[in-house]
Amino acid sequence: MRHGSFLPLLLALLTAASAACRREPPRPAPPSTPRAAAHAEEQWLVDATAAAGLDFVHENGAVGELYFVENVGAGAALFDCDGDGDLDLLLRQGGALVGEPPPGAPTDRLYRNDLGPAGVRFVDVTAGSGLDRPAYGMGVATGDYDGDGHVDLYLTNFGPDRLLRGLGDCRFEDRTAALGKVADGWSVPATFFDADGDGWLDLWVGGYVCYAVAENRRCFRADSAPDYCGPTTYPAARDRFWRNRGDGTFEERTGPAGFAAGEPGRALGAVALDVDRDGRLDLFVANDATDNHLWMNRGGSFADEGLARGVAVNAAGLRTGDMGVEAADFDGDGDLDLAVTHLPEEGLGYWDNDGAGWFWERGAAAGLVRWTAGDTGFGTAALDLENDGWPDLYLANGTVRAIERLSRPGATVPLDQPNRLLRNLGGATFDDVSAAAGPALAPSEVSRGTAVGDVDDDGDLDLVVTNNAGPARLLLSDAAVRGP
């Protein structure tokens, strides 16, 4: 199914643990012979933002106080809100962090895709949709939780979250009360998935940190200039889990389901997947400066086996600033591997699945650390841009601490970085083709989220990228035409 990735929105920063030595499995033969180099004349992605009528600009509420929360956001989702078979677009908005929202304050934006012979055309249908209400938005989860054939939404926020039931014509009704006590602190990732195998979508929501604007702390960089604080400045928030009763309501089961066990993480990314191929969905959570969690499904209850299975920390046994996560079969061996964005000094994390849910961290061997050592990665997207059977990686970058070499007197804190495209050469070995991918990779912005889907319905995957305090961008691929 075409999907939206939230978000992988997200933020970062940085004990040590040991990983058991395991005998590595034999490497699989690649399913095809990859091309050796990118062709400079090709545009791997074409920026169709203006042509599609996409005019969204994110506002983070920055007023010079360097509030920690303004560094994160915002997310996006591609889904069919009107049942016409093409992908519509939801973009999460921020806003003022102090005081009540004024009349006309920015809200989330919902764009209907009026796809026709001239291509993608986004029409703003926010008014009257149920999404035209101010909130400091983070991410979004999509899924049909009540089984009526319409996509429903869970919106994570800095502040109370919302559960919205889809009515089918790009309108939604607020059903937050169906959860009982909703998450009301700061949550970022969320996912609908059938945790107990009863056919109904349950809901997991990841907490980030315990933070309030009134308690914002002051932090400084090496030259004593003010800067944003890191995530370890604030305590981690707990995740939450609700079981779907099947009657349109939920019961919170965070403790009974096992999700309250152990140390809380600072969750910024999550993906539900069957890592050990036992027919039950497990949950990987990318945590910022805390151990990642791998919640193994034991029949409706979960146990964190992240450390034992090799994904809690990096190859050196260190916690990293984990943010966006993508699951895909990067090496062609038939199971799902994990790619996770990190801080500049850490490089991109890549965990290779042996097929039974045991992982080896191979970011350096795959070339990912080499190419991403200077990046602060947030959203990440796996999409086959060559139509050759190998998932490539698009990385949405933007720092969380000031880049001193870009600082100028009187300027805002400089956080922009160019995004990156990594081509899978086959067998999970990657090369940086950003410079050869066309003008769509040229802008240097503060990118945060990614959403992936076939927006123009031509048989290949396209991409929406969100920017903090900047415009959202629609990037179209022509992989189906280009071919392997």
Side-chain angles (χ1 to χ4, degrees):
M1 178 179 176
R2 297 168 294 190
H3 64 282
S5 138
F6 148 154
L7 80 64
L9 285 155
L10 307 286
L11 189 73
L13 253 249
L14 311 134
T15 227
S18 61
C21 294
R22 304 184 186 94
R23 182 173 168 268
E24 295 195 8
R27 303 298 296 166
S32 62
T33 302
R35 289 182 289 175
H39 297 289
E41 70 275 9
E42 293 179 345
Q43 290 193 39
W44 293 54
L45 292 163
V46 176
D47 191 333
T49 307
L54 183 57
D55 59 355
F56 178 87
V57 178
H58 177 258
E59 300 184 22
N60 67 5
V63 292
E65 294 295 324
L66 301 183
Y67 294 129
F68 182 56
V69 66
E70 69 193 33
N71 227 337
V72 188
L78 287 164
F79 67 104
D80 186 2
C81 71
D82 56 1
D84 66 351
D86 55 38
L87 290 176
D88 310 299
L89 174 63
L90 170 64
L91 292 164
R92 303 300 321 279
Q93 183 59 280
L97 285 163
V98 179
E100 292 297 318
T107 70
D108 296 342
R109 300 274 292 278
L110 181 63
Y111 292 88
R112 187 183 67 225
N113 185 358
D114 287 353
L115 185 63
V120 179
R121 185 67 184 172
F122 282 128
V123 177
D124 190 334
V125 294
T126 309
S129 68
L131 291 158
D132 49 352
R133 179 172 125 183
Y136 203 92
M138 291 288 137
V140 53
T142 61
D144 182 8
Y145 78 80
D146 56 359
D148 66 353
H150 305 311
V151 178
D152 310 307
L153 306 173
Y154 186 86
L155 307 180
T156 62
N157 296 314
F158 175 58
D161 293 350
R162 295 179 72 199
L163 175 67
L164 299 178
R165 176 174 175 264
L167 302 178
D169 53 356
C170 293
R171 293 186 304 116
F172 298 83
E173 63 177 3
D174 195 314
R175 296 299 300 272
T176 308
L179 295 171
K181 189 179 188 311
V182 72
D184 59 359
W186 183 0
S187 50
V188 178
T191 182
F192 287 107
F193 73 109
D194 185 2
D196 51 9
D198 65 354
W200 296 99
L201 292 179
D202 309 299
L203 174 65
W204 174 93
V205 178
Y208 186 43
V209 300
C210 300
Y211 172 83
V213 169
E215 299 170 1
N216 191 66
R217 300 181 186 177
R218 301 289 183 182
C219 293
F220 302 88
R221 65 189 194 206
D223 63 357
S224 299
D227 204 354
Y228 287 103
C229 295
T232 56
T233 308
Y234 304 97
R238 283 281 180 189
D239 305 333
R240 306 274 295 278
F241 174 74
W242 287 266
R243 178 182 174 272
N244 190 336
R245 293 190 178 103
D247 61 359
T249 67
F250 294 78
E251 59 177 335
E252 185 176 351
R253 301 282 293 174
T254 307
F259 288 112
E263 179 186 10
R266 299 177 178 89
L268 285 176
V271 60
L273 70 165
D274 183 4
V275 302
D276 55 357
R277 297 192 283 191
D278 66 351
R280 297 184 292 226
L281 287 173
D282 313 298
L283 183 69
F284 174 81
V285 183
N287 289 321
D288 192 2
T290 42
D291 285 7
N292 296 326
H293 292 146
L294 181 56
W295 296 104
M296 300 300 295
N297 192 334
R298 300 309 179 203
S301 64
F302 292 78
D304 179 21
E305 299 182 14
L307 188 60
R309 290 181 177 269
V311 296
V313 293
N314 68 9
L318 301 174
R319 293 174 167 180
T320 49
D322 289 11
M323 295 175 281
V325 56
E326 184 67 283
D329 185 7
F330 292 106
D331 54 5
D333 64 353
D335 54 47
L336 292 175
D337 313 303
L338 296 167
V340 182
T341 53
H342 289 163
L343 288 177
E345 60 270 24
E346 299 163 354
L348 190 76
Y350 169 64
W351 281 278
D352 180 13
N353 188 348
D354 72 348
W358 304 94
F359 293 83
W360 283 266
E361 207 288 305
R362 291 199 174 100
L368 296 169
V369 172
R370 171 190 177 190
W371 299 120
T372 62
D375 298 345
T376 297
F378 274 71
T380 179
L383 60 170
D384 183 1
L385 291 174
E386 293 180 287
N387 200 29
D388 64 354
W390 296 105
D392 308 301
L393 277 169
Y394 181 95
L395 307 176
N397 297 326
T399 76
V400 293
R401 307 296 295 271
I403 304 174
E404 293 186 37
R405 64 180 175 79
L406 298 180
S407 297
R408 303 178 304 277
T412 57
V413 176
L415 302 174
D416 59 286
Q417 288 186 316
N419 295 336
R420 194 173 297 278
L421 181 60
L422 300 177
R423 175 175 174 254
N424 191 340
L425 300 175
T429 301
F430 292 85
D431 190 20
D432 186 356
V433 295
S434 305
L441 270 290
S444 182
E445 297 173 307
V446 187
S447 296
R448 290 296 184 252
T450 55
V452 177
D454 187 1
V455 180
D456 54 4
D457 201 27
D458 67 349
D460 55 41
L461 292 177
D462 309 302
L463 185 65
V464 172
V465 181
T466 67
N467 291 301
N468 186 292
R473 299 195 180 276
L474 171 64
L475 308 181
L476 298 180
S477 167
D478 65 349
V481 176
R482 184 166 56 244

